[in-house]
Each structure stands twice: as structure tokens, then as C-alpha cells.
Amino acid sequence: MTPPQISVIVPVHNVQDHIGACLTSLRDQSFTDFEAIVIDDGSSDDSPDRLRAAIDGDTRFQVIRQENRGLSGARNVGLNKAKGAFIAFLDGDDRYAPEFLDHMHAALVQSGADWVACGLRNMYADGGSDTHSTIHDAPVLAPDAGPRLWPLGTWDEVIAHFPSAWNKLYRRSLIEGLRYDEGTWYEDHAFFLRAAARTQTLLHLPEPLYLQTRGRAGQITTSDSDQVFDQITVLDTLAGLMAGAEKPSGTQALARLAHRLFYERGTILHDPGRRTRFLTAARDWLAAQGLPPRPGPDLPPGWALELTGTCPLSVIIPWDGQDDPLRVTAATLAQQSQAGFETLIVADDAATAARGADLACEAGLHGVRGLCSDRPGPGPARNTGLTQARGELVVFADAGDRLLPDALARWTDSMLREKADLGLSQFRMGRREDSPVHQGFHDMALLGTAAPETGPLPLNADRALALHCYPTAKIFRRSFLNAHGLRFGCGTRSDWQIGIGAALSARKTLYFAWPGAEGAEAAECRQLWTAQVPPATLARMLDNAWESWPQEIRDALPKNWAKRLYTRALWEVWSFSDLSAKQRSRFRFEAIRELRQRRWLWQSGPFDPYLSTAIYDLVTPSAPRP
């Protein structure tokens, strides 16, 4: 019989929820002259029955069942059985686009190239997707740009491409005799380099013809296990291959590739002990190879810090002992795309702090420390965390708030790249997707006619005083806070002291024009907002802030700074506290009395322009006495 044009090798192991769609996508290919070699690699779930149901007697499909040998062993069995002039791979939890075989085969036949790669579409469990060209240095290519022959004359040019087996079609002649190294993870790399050593070019189609399932439980690329150390073994093999004479620039390319692979493995490691051991092993391997200890600028600077032994970020959570709000925040921190940060939970006593650390760990968060504050209240708790923090940067998150999954990574890397002291993010005023977005300033008119874009944001005194001081949506450089002696206050509005002080003294401030945090709406999480604080206490808050700020911050303040902040604090209590009619009358009387007694408040200039009408009605001297 005439052999098929293409042999497609499909390894299968415990992917019962995906194998049906996988094989259906292969049966539905517009190019039909193929054989499919399906290797059931010792599946213990319902994969064998489901794959046979999906094949439904199609004679192009051959099923081989074997004891589990791992992905490499399954692919090698397929290579030994393949009869086609061209060979492709399809993982059992992924899919081909209908034109995959047709477009890839046509491109190879027309070009005469040895192999061809295509773009990728990542498919997520929530129904979302995104695309990647599968070229590291050019992740976005126009899908209609057409095929391009990329040079592979140096190892630097080779490692620019994804080493994956599944987004390629190979001429049999290119990979004749090549097999995957068995008994290890991350086996694609060595096979890819051995194939690349035999040729000088790779044809590439920018179309996302391969559909990869992301986020599936049990995926090798997302498994936080000790098998991550297989990467060291694989790198030993790659170092030997790249030292060969087939192509130049082996040492330079090995350094870049090693740093990239260590970073990719590091993103999945959340267990602090395993992460620490892996970082140590990575540093030791780089040193033994005589390679640079820090990655180049193409990798996140937060990872570069961590790899060289510095914690990039500390997240500090003051906690009053309520379980549910802490669980919410810990769960969102556990889902962060940035894994290398520490979390400090600070409570009023050691027992509560220890219980908070346990709750956070139960929610999936690793690397948690419980600390005991030296004074009660959220401000002192945050200050205690700051004194114990190891991170280059710090975020002060309130229990009950949520941080979006990529917020910490984006904030951290932007702050480090830009060498900024302060970062301000938009935030949602609630934990629903339809909750209104706050842009971070009470009076956006002070920032111009258009909302600012993500990037550096110059701040003057007026803008600093208009800042919404909600702490969860901010990130600070720790050394900057310490250099200026900036701390949270001990009473009401304790975050104003550090937020406004930082805005006035930061050499460089970044603005993130997207909501990175969501504020809690539950009553137990909003007690600081709804507390019935007397006007005299609000005024003392300003006295405390003034006394805490260094002279350079005092000099930067306009004459009416205290009046603006005092009247804003009055308005917040008036608007958000549950005051009875009698309490409102008393509050208004005391607010006016405080202004009269503190003549410098009344005479210092206009009210906060954001609140002028409402505040004038509240504190007009003609208000009746209770």
C-alpha cells in the first residue's frame, strides 16, 4: 500500500476530558492523506474508551496501548511506527485548527524547507484565548503575513523559536534516527536542538493553527513538583549540544536559554521550600557553567532580583482576626502570576497572627509570616510589617480586598524597570466586574482634560492632595519610605499620612491606568470608612501627619493643605457613617467649633475644591448649635 503523506503521533495519558475533542480535530482536517498513531501511555482514567469513541472506526487511526513510559517514550513509539514522508505531533489535550495539516504540508512542499512551525492559540478554561507567534523575540506577527524562512545559522537564532514538538511539521529526512530522551521532563528542547543542528533554516507560518489547552490539572508545564529539577538535567544535555561545532555563539545562546528556562520553571513554583531549593540549584548551575548570574533585560527584573537572592516584593496585610476577609485576600494572592513575593500578616497579638498565617496557607498562599504589632490598629500593624519586610517593594493590602491575578507582577516589574518610588493604580469600588472604577484621584480635573495613561505621572502638591489614599492599589519602594521616614498614622485615616507624604516626595511616580485591585464591600471590611470619628480626632490626625513629615514635605505643602484634608475627612464621615439626626447635628456643631478654635484651619484658604459646595453647607458658621 502507498504510505500516507503525513504521520501524526498522538500521545495520550489521563486526558479523558480532552481526548475526544483532540481526535475529532484530527479527523476533521481538510488534508486527509494522513495516518494517526495514538499511543495510550498507561492511562488510568476513561481515556481509552473515549479515544476509541472519538475514532469511531476511522481506519486512518491506529491505537497502541502500553505501560506508562512518559511523554518521550510514547512519542518514540510513534516515531518507530510512522510511515509518512512528513511527521507531526499532537498532544492528547490539544487540538489542531482544521487547516493545520493542509497549510503546513503545502508550505513545506512549495518551499522545499526541512520543517515548518506555526503560531499558537492558547485556550483557557474560562473560554478565553490569546495567540503567540511561537517566536520569543517576535510574539506578535500578523496572521496574514505569509510564510517566512527564518535563519538558523547560529545557536542564538535557534533558541529564538519555541522548541515544542507540536506546532511543527517535519520532513522525515530531517529527523530520521532522532528520538526523545526518556525518563525526564522538558524533553522537547534536546530533540529540537538536535533537529536544528541538521539544518540552516526554519519555515514559519504566523497563523495560530495549533490550539493548546492551558490550565489543565496535571500539565507538566504547570506542575509544582520536584520534577522541576529535571530542567537542570536537560540543561546539561543542551550545554553539550550547543558546545558542538555545528553552529557558533553556543555560550552566549546557552546563557540566554538557561535564564529563560529557569524563569519559566520559576513561574510555577509557589511552595517556598521547593522554590528556594530550585533558585539555589539554578544559581549553582550558572556558576558551574561560568554563565552570568543575572538574566538580560528581556526577562522580568523581579525575577532577576529573586534569582540573585533578593526578595522583590513584600505584601503586608493588617488583620483584625476576622476569617473570611483574610481568606478572600489570601486566595487572590495565591493566584498571582508572580510567585516570588513574601506575605506578612500582622495582628495585635502573636496568637492571632499565627492563626492568620495558617488561614492564608489553607487558602493556597505560600511564604506567609505572622507578625505581632507593637500597638493596636491597622496603621501600626502596617508599620510593623514594613520594619520586618525583606522586599525591594511593598504593597499594603487590606483584608477582604482582591488583587487581580497579574497585578503584582505588572506593578513590580514596571516599578523596577522605571526605578520609580511610588506606583498608583486604578481600582474597583467593589468586588464585582460591574463595580465602578475609581481612577485614584478625588479631582481628576487636576490631571488635565484626559485621564492619564499608564506610565510616569508628574505629581505636584495639588495632585498629591487630591490623591485617594486607598492603600491596596499602591506600591512603594521600601528604601524610599525608609529614607524619608514615611509611616502610617496610628489613628483614623492612617493611610493619608504615608500616601500623601509619598506623593509629595517621590522622585518618580508611575500610574497604572487599569484596575489592579478591588475593594471589599462587606460592612465588616469597611469599618474604617464608616466609623463615627469626631471632628477633633480628624483634626488631630492632621497634627500627627505634620509632625511625622520631614521638612522637605512640609515645604512642598500649599498654605491650605490642612483645611483641604480636614474638610475632606469631615465630608467622608458625614457621607459614609450611619449618623442619626441628633448625631449629625452634634457632628456639625463640633466641626464648626474645631474650625473656630483652630483659626489657621479656617483662614488658610479655600476648602478642598473637590468637595467645596458640600463642605461649605456642612461647616458654615451660621449652623445651629445642638
Side-chain angles (χ1 to χ4, degrees), residues 181-203:
D181 295 334
E182 297 191 32
T184 184
W185 282 6
Y186 319 119
E187 65 293 315
D188 284 1
H189 292 87
F191 186 91
F192 172 71
L193 291 189
R194 289 178 178 125
R198 296 180 172 187
T199 185
Q200 293 296 306
T201 58
L202 170 64
L203 187 64

Side-chain angles (χ1 to χ4, degrees), residues 27 57 101 429 617:
R27 292 187 65 192
L101 293 180
M429 301 172 67
D617 291 342

